Amino acid sequence: MSGRGFRPRSPAEVVRELEFLVREFGQNFFCFYDENCLLHKDRFIAICDGIYKTGFDIQLSAPVGFYLNAVDEDIVKAFVRAGGCAVGVPIETGSSYLRNKIIEKKISDDTIKHVVKLYKKYDLFTYGAFIMGFEEDTPATLDETIAMIHELQLDVNDVFNLVPYPGTRIHAQAKRNGTLLIDDSQAWKGEVILGSRGGAQQFFIQPPGLSMEELRQYRAKFDQLRLYSDRARNLNRQGQKQSR
């Protein structure tokens, strides 16, 4: 793709490339990273059907997830039939107010619950994606995220620290309001690492409604909820054994 237009490759081209990788390199695991892959439902289903017809024993994952408002059972069924085994669930926050009024994601709680129910019906391994550290965050909004994590019971819950990249609306707002915790002039010189996770768990914005101590306390709570299901914890233990 180049420019502002959407120029999708044909389903046949996508399937041919996958076939090449399987036959020539023995690849058997593939990820969909295209956030617009459901822009045309028929195209996505055609890709999945084409993969299924190859007869290859492969696994498919969609780590960044699908646009939740576009997900329906036809899509989930086609994805799983083609080898789909894992999918991200991009929720951002358990607060409906933050999600729809501040982030303008326009995704209701009911839609999230409906899609998660579909994913569980087809036994997909689920990765929840959340964010903490919005200027508008308070103990109440973060508690709503915790409540949603417990209600949805996804396999893994990644709660990322908000990163206000220079040039974004969130960055401009934080700079204007004096809530930015970093010298962003150093961001592009390698002196400030803009990452949403990591050992330091750095915060880049100071929400007026939360103290730094409260931020750290919620960070610890979210870290404890990351591996939520038994199968997620078992897979993690197996991975640790294999890496030794």
Side-chain angles (χ1 to χ4, degrees), residues 113-132:
K113 294 172 188 177
H114 171 69
V115 171
V116 169
K117 186 176 180 179
L118 274 178
Y119 290 162
K120 290 188 175 185
K121 177 180 177 180
Y122 289 88
D123 198 31
L124 285 165
F125 190 93
T126 49
Y127 305 90
F130 300 87
I131 298 174
M132 68 173 292

Side-chain angles (χ1 to χ4, degrees), residues 141-151 218 221-222 225:
T141 62
L142 295 180
D143 283 339
E144 286 182 282
T145 294
I146 290 174
M148 179 167 280
I149 287 173
H150 286 305
E151 180 175 6
Y218 276 102
K221 290 179 182 179
F222 288 132
L225 295 172

Side-chain angles (χ1 to χ4, degrees), residues 76-87:
V76 178
K77 188 184 298 184
F79 178 62
V80 172
R81 187 167 178 252
C85 61
V87 63

